[in-house]
Amino acid sequence: MESSSPEAPQVQNQEKSIEEATSVTAVETTDLEREEPEDGEVLEKLKGDRIGETMYSERFVLTTILKLPQLEGTLAEDEDYEKDLCSLWDMTIEQDVVLFLLKHDVIELFVGISEASEDNRLVEILLGIVGNMCCVEETHRLLYENKGLVVSLCGFLSSSDTLVLVQLMRILTTILERSDDEEYCWFKVVREVEDITEKIAFILASTTNRELIEHTLETVHAMVNRFTEAEVDYAQLNEFYKMFAKSCLIEGLMEGFKQMFPETAADNQFEEDFLSNKDLKTIQKFLEIHENFIINANEVYEDQVDKIVYCVYRVLVPMSSEGCLIPLSKAHVRILVCINSIYSAIVYHFHAETFLAMLKIYTILAKEQEGLQNSAQQPMDEENDETDGEFEIQTALGEILETLYFMAEPMNSSTIANTLKVSSFNEETIQRLCLALKETMAGDPLLGRTCDLLLESAREAWTVEDKSRS
């Protein structure tokens, strides 16, 4: 990465400050051994060297930092110093260590050295330390008051090193998700970063590293949430969508999704037949981004409808297995909410495989709900997890029914009949679906016509079919 190094006087002042602190607080181990003081005296000296309530040494931290501007060559050539920096990285999970570092203005030093360095391992470690420091609110304040530091950090979006980019995304996600909503307006900072959307889109579209895709997706998700909900400034919403609602970002998100969840050549399904909780949360964030954009910047999907529909279908395929769907989690429900919102926005679009997958999920959850309702009630004074589970299922069923309704409503009976013919359902399934729709969609002016359409499609599909199928 090409960038200018920090101004020499600033670095020199920081070095001088650290040198002075080192000379004042240092406790030499050799001095302790030579003087052989009483145990109480040793303890007091050690206390004088430790950082806050931790057992970490001020001297070690300051000495490690002081060596940074003097580093010659790469970290690979100085294994011991690399270990020291990694130890410092580990230490920054402690708030007292972070506050100690902030007192010595290390972030400016770290960013300046990172900008000037061609050693990706060094930059990764320094950005990793800054990322840990961002878990402390005082770091957010410093970065916000020195907005140029954030802009400089975003300069690493052009880096070709995966691990450097991962640490950068950690920094951005943390400050966006954890900063006080009223005190910080990060959009005013981010909009100063040149071509930020294009750079993020390029990362998503070009990398094959799953960890980087996940962290970049989290950053985009944090930006969407922060800039359209937390920092609610309606005068800036148009500016946000103008900056971020671009086809390159939508395409990058699609490509990143394909990399995270590759399909087999045989049947175009997920390679894995089970989605972990982490997978579900990743998919949830992916769909929440699209939900926001497709509702508020629909025009950017003019040429992307088929792609988002296909992504939805591929999410539903593994979810439509009982082993993946039950027990139903909040992530499952939120995914179904997003899918409903997406299909509400892309009206008059029917996808046969998605329709069948949603219908299968409906039958699984309806059966699960019936089982919960028939089970014995827990005593009122005991925790009843089934009550929460029933509420989640009821919410999910409502979203599924709406989605099926939106998909079927504009279609003709032949289209739906041809879809049902290749399924494992029977006419009774559609009859139960229509009864549920009449409860969920009560009051909709097209409800009667749509239910008649579904029943007609079922009769047409199974006029000569074996109705004993489950």
Side-chain angles (χ1 to χ4, degrees):
M1 175 180 300
E2 294 182 3
S3 57
S4 59
S5 59
E7 296 180 4
Q10 182 181 9
V11 174
Q12 289 173 357
N13 289 338
Q14 288 167 338
E15 288 183 45
K16 182 178 179 181
S17 173
I18 294 171
E19 284 176 345
E20 291 173 349
T22 305
S23 64
V24 171
T25 62
V27 178
E28 292 283 2
T29 303
T30 53
D31 289 343
L32 295 177
E33 294 172 349
R34 182 171 58 251
E35 295 173 8
E36 298 182 354
E38 297 295 329
D39 290 345
E41 186 179 346
V42 173
L43 183 60
E44 288 304 313
K45 285 193 175 185
L46 289 175
K47 284 183 178 179
D49 183 50
R50 75 181 187 183
I51 300 173
E53 296 301 315
T54 74
M55 294 305 294
Y56 296 126
S57 163
E58 288 186 1
R59 177 178 174 78
F60 170 81
V61 171
L62 294 172
T63 301
T64 301
I65 296 171
L66 191 60
K67 289 180 181 178
L68 269 173
Q70 303 166 2
L71 181 65
E72 296 181 359
T74 65
L75 279 183
E77 299 169 345
D78 193 339
E79 186 176 339
D80 289 338
Y81 186 55
E82 180 179 0
K83 289 180 180 178
D84 288 345
L85 281 175
C86 288
S87 295
L88 179 58
W89 190 355
D90 291 338
M91 290 179 191
T92 51
I93 64 172
E94 296 284 351
Q95 178 171 311
D96 285 344
V97 175
V98 174
L99 295 176
F100 179 72
L101 291 174
L102 288 172
K103 185 173 68 173
H104 292 285
D105 300 324
V106 299
I107 291 184
E108 294 96 322
L109 181 66
F110 289 174
V111 173
I113 289 175
S114 296
E115 285 185 299
S117 177
E118 296 181 359
D119 185 349
N120 288 327
R121 176 57 175 161
L122 175 63
V123 176
E124 177 203 353
I125 294 173
L126 295 181
L127 294 189
I129 293 172
V130 174
N132 281 359
M133 293 177 69
C134 286
C135 293
V136 175
E137 197 273 339
E138 284 81 353
T139 304
H140 299 191
R141 190 181 312 282
L142 182 146
L143 290 173
Y144 194 71
E145 291 173 353
N146 298 272
K147 298 178 178 61
L149 286 174
V150 179
V151 175
S152 294
L153 284 167
C154 288
F156 290 100
L157 286 169
S158 301
S159 174
S160 60
D161 187 82
T162 297
L163 298 178
V164 168
L165 288 169
V166 166
Q167 299 308 324
L168 172 63
M169 297 304 173
R170 283 185 59 238
I171 293 171
L172 295 176
T173 301
T174 304
I175 61 176
L176 291 171
E177 289 184 342
R178 300 196 183 189
S179 291
D180 182 87
D181 295 350
E182 297 180 359
E183 189 171 357
Y184 303 100
C185 181
W186 288 110
F187 182 65
K188 292 180 180 179
V189 181
V190 169
R191 69 184 180 185
E192 299 300 320
V193 181
E194 185 177 359
D195 297 329
I196 185 170
T197 305
E198 287 78 6
K199 290 173 181 175
I200 291 174
F202 178 78
I203 293 169
L204 287 167
S206 60
T207 186
T208 58
N209 183 278
R210 183 177 180 123
E211 183 183 15
L212 177 56
I213 296 172
E214 288 174 345
H215 279 286
T216 307
L217 183 69
E218 288 174 358
T219 300
V220 176
H221 184 266
M223 286 180 173
V224 171
N225 281 357
R226 180 85 190 189
F227 301 150
T228 65
E229 295 181 20
E231 297 179 13
V232 181
D233 182 345
Y234 294 102
Q236 292 182 351
L237 279 177
N238 288 337
E239 185 178 358
F240 168 77
Y241 288 114
K242 184 177 180 180
M243 279 184 61
F244 285 93
K246 296 181 178 180
S247 59
C248 65
L249 181 58
I250 304 304
E251 291 169 2
L253 288 165
M254 303 289 190
E255 186 60 36
F257 178 85
K258 285 163 54 178
Q259 288 292 336
M260 284 189 292
F261 302 105
E263 59 189 19
T264 61
D267 54 9
N268 292 333
Q269 306 298 322
F270 281 116
E271 284 186 349
E272 57 267 67
D273 59 1
F274 179 79
L275 296 176
S276 67
N277 289 333
K278 182 179 180 182
D279 292 332
L280 289 170
K281 289 178 181 178
T282 298
I283 290 170
Q284 175 188 337
K285 290 179 180 179
F286 171 81
L287 291 177
E288 284 178 345
I289 294 169
H290 287 293
E291 177 189 32
N292 186 291
F293 282 140
I294 207 165
I295 291 173
N296 297 290
N298 189 275
E299 64 281 357
V300 79
Y301 285 87
E302 288 181 0
D303 300 324
Q304 305 290 337
V305 172
D306 288 338
K307 291 181 180 179
I308 187 61
V309 165
Y310 185 62
C311 285
V312 167
Y313 161 64
R314 292 199 38 239
V315 167
L316 291 173
V317 169
M319 274 185 59
S320 62
S321 69
E322 187 170 350
C324 182
L325 192 61
I326 305 297
L328 194 73
S329 69
K330 286 182 171 57
H332 284 110
V333 177
R334 188 68 190 107
I335 287 170
L336 293 171
V337 170
C338 290
I339 291 173
N340 185 20
S341 296
I342 289 170
Y343 264 94
S344 299
I346 53 172
V347 292
Y348 305 116
H349 195 97
F350 184 80
H351 188 259
E353 290 84 357
T354 298
F355 185 85
L356 293 179
M358 292 291 285
L359 188 56
K360 186 175 181 181
I361 292 173
Y362 164 75
T363 60
I364 293 172
L365 292 183
K367 180 180 178 181
E368 185 73 9
Q369 184 184 50
E370 184 177 346
L372 288 175
Q373 290 173 343
N374 292 335
S375 65
Q377 295 294 317
Q378 296 287 336
M380 293 299 292
D381 59 343
E382 293 184 12
E383 183 178 355
N384 189 350
D385 293 335
E386 289 185 351
T387 302
D388 293 337
E390 187 174 350
F391 176 77
E392 297 287 357
I393 289 175
Q394 184 177 353
T395 303
L397 282 170
E399 298 296 329
I400 293 168
L401 288 167
E402 283 193 20
T403 306
L404 289 169
Y405 182 83
F406 285 128
M407 292 181 70
E409 186 269 320
M411 295 296 107
N412 56 56
S413 61
S414 296
T415 299
I416 299 176
N418 290 333
T419 299
L420 294 175
K421 283 179 182 179
V422 298
S423 73
S424 60
F425 304 112
N426 57 27
E427 192 169 344
E428 183 182 352
T429 304
I430 304 303
Q431 290 172 345
R432 293 182 62 186
L433 173 65
C434 288
L435 287 175
L437 281 173
K438 287 177 181 178
E439 293 183 11
T440 301
M441 305 300 294
D444 189 287
L446 298 177
L447 175 61
R449 189 188 75 81
T450 303
C451 286
D452 289 343
L453 168 70
L454 287 167
L455 292 171
E456 180 184 348
S457 300
R459 288 191 293 268
E460 182 179 340
W462 294 308
T463 298
V464 295
E465 295 287 327
D466 180 3
K467 297 184 179 180
S468 65
R469 292 178 303 175
S470 59

